[in-house]
Amino acid sequence: MNKKINEINPQTLAFLAKCLADENRLRILFCVSKEKKSVSTIVEELQLSQPLISHHLKELKRSLLVNVERCGPFVYYELSDDRILSILEKLSELGDDLLKARISF
Amino acid sequence: MNKKINEINPQTLAFLAKCLADENRLRILFCVSKEKKSVSTIVEELQLSQPLISHHLKELKRSLLVNVERCGPFVYYELSDDRILSILEKLSELGDDLLKARISF
DNA sequence: TCAACATATAAATGTATATTTATATAATTA
DNA sequence: TAATTATATAAATATACATTTATATGTTGA
């Protein structure tokens, strides 16, 4: 059975969307979507400062979008749920289509 | 054929997500999701000031999430694509599940 | 325990954005 | 055309948030 519209809580939804509304956080999510990665690896791959990455990882953790796991001196982050990725894909596709539709008028 | 991850543009995605990251804008989207409604109707239903509604409608229009149509003195807004709603439903469901999973530990 | 590395946090700064208040524009009708 | 209604815009304010710089904490191995 599917969720009905009126069961949706705009507050919860806004909280999640806010976390997804930053380009760097999205890049981090994609970065850790295939496999867990250490902070230093993410820093290297995304070419952003370590404190900035740490700050965004903290936000992503607070929003429960990533799982954290310490292993020795390294801290590994990974996507907490694969649906995150599929939702972002759908949103991206929608964005593309909206843009296409606009241009074609 | 589905979209691949690497085709996703984080910038476009962040732009859309930013527009969805406000509780009042989400309420407006739900408000106009079943039928087109005039600004004054939205104002009345959501109990927000008219300039605030107008401001958010402008943002929603800028992000192509709503369509606008003038009819006499009234301006009607409606959801531009039904996928918006289904994506929001999925995101909401995900949020609920993430929360449930967290509490159960 | 000390040195080196990995990550997190704090303070400071700049910028973006939500909201309110006041006013302007646009359309209708008398 | 004046008055009224509907909506949009502008200015002002407050707040939230991203980023940088500096520093602290935690872990490992010598």
Side-chain angles (χ1 to χ4, degrees):
Chain A
M1 208 194 316
N2 277 335
K3 229 161 221 286
K4 286 173 202 153
I5 294 170
N6 59 353
E7 298 179 30
I8 292 181
N9 178 1
Q11 201 177 349
T12 309
L13 207 41
F15 176 77
L16 262 186
K18 210 172 291 182
C19 196
L20 297 173
D22 180 273
E23 195 181 334
N24 286 331
R25 276 196 294 271
L26 288 171
R27 293 174 67 208
I28 292 173
L29 283 180
F30 293 130
C31 183
V32 302
S33 67
K34 295 208 170 181
E35 48 183 349
K36 58 183 68 172
K37 286 181 184 162
S38 67
V39 176
S40 47
T41 301
I42 301 171
V43 166
E44 197 182 48
E45 292 192 6
L46 300 188
Q47 296 274 64
L48 294 171
S49 75
Q50 180 268 315
L52 184 55
I53 293 286
S54 265
H55 168 253
H56 285 310
L57 284 171
K58 191 179 179 180
E59 281 301 297
L60 289 168
K61 181 187 167 193
R62 191 170 73 99
S63 305
L64 307 178
L65 292 173
V66 296
N67 290 328
V68 196
E69 183 186 340
R70 169 152 234 147
C71 188
F74 298 95
V75 178
Y76 291 92
Y77 287 84
E78 67 177 342
L79 215 61
S80 65
D81 194 306
D82 284 338
R83 283 175 290 175
I84 299 167
L85 213 55
S86 76
I87 289 172
L88 290 177
E89 284 169 14
K90 282 194 173 56
L91 193 57
S92 176
E93 194 180 334
L94 172 68
D96 290 345
D97 290 349
L98 289 177
L99 223 54
K100 271 184 230 155
R102 190 178 77 95
I103 290 167
S104 64
F105 276 89
Chain B
M1 208 196 313
N2 276 335
K3 228 157 223 283
K4 288 174 201 150
I5 293 171
N6 60 351
E7 296 178 32
I8 292 182
N9 178 0
Q11 202 177 348
T12 309
L13 206 42
F15 177 77
L16 263 186
K18 210 173 291 183
C19 195
L20 297 173
D22 180 273
E23 195 180 335
N24 286 331
R25 276 196 294 271
L26 287 172
R27 292 175 67 209
I28 293 174
L29 283 180
F30 293 131
C31 182
V32 302
S33 67
K34 295 208 169 182
E35 47 185 349
K36 58 183 69 173
K37 286 181 184 163
S38 67
V39 176
S40 47
T41 301
I42 302 171
V43 166
E44 196 181 48
E45 292 192 7
L46 300 188
Q47 297 273 64
L48 294 171
S49 76
Q50 179 269 314
L52 184 55
I53 293 286
S54 265
H55 167 253
H56 284 310
L57 284 170
K58 191 179 180 181
E59 282 301 298
L60 289 167
K61 182 186 167 194
R62 191 170 72 99
S63 305
L64 307 176
L65 292 173
V66 296
N67 290 330
V68 196
E69 183 186 340
R70 170 151 233 149
C71 188
F74 298 96
V75 179
Y76 291 92
Y77 287 84
E78 67 177 341
L79 215 60
S80 65
D81 194 307
D82 284 337
R83 283 175 291 175
I84 298 167
L85 213 56
S86 76
I87 289 172
L88 290 177
E89 284 169 14
K90 283 193 173 57
L91 192 57
S92 176
E93 194 181 333
L94 172 68
D96 290 346
D97 290 350
L98 289 177
L99 225 53
K100 271 184 228 155
R102 188 177 77 93
I103 290 167
S104 65
F105 276 89

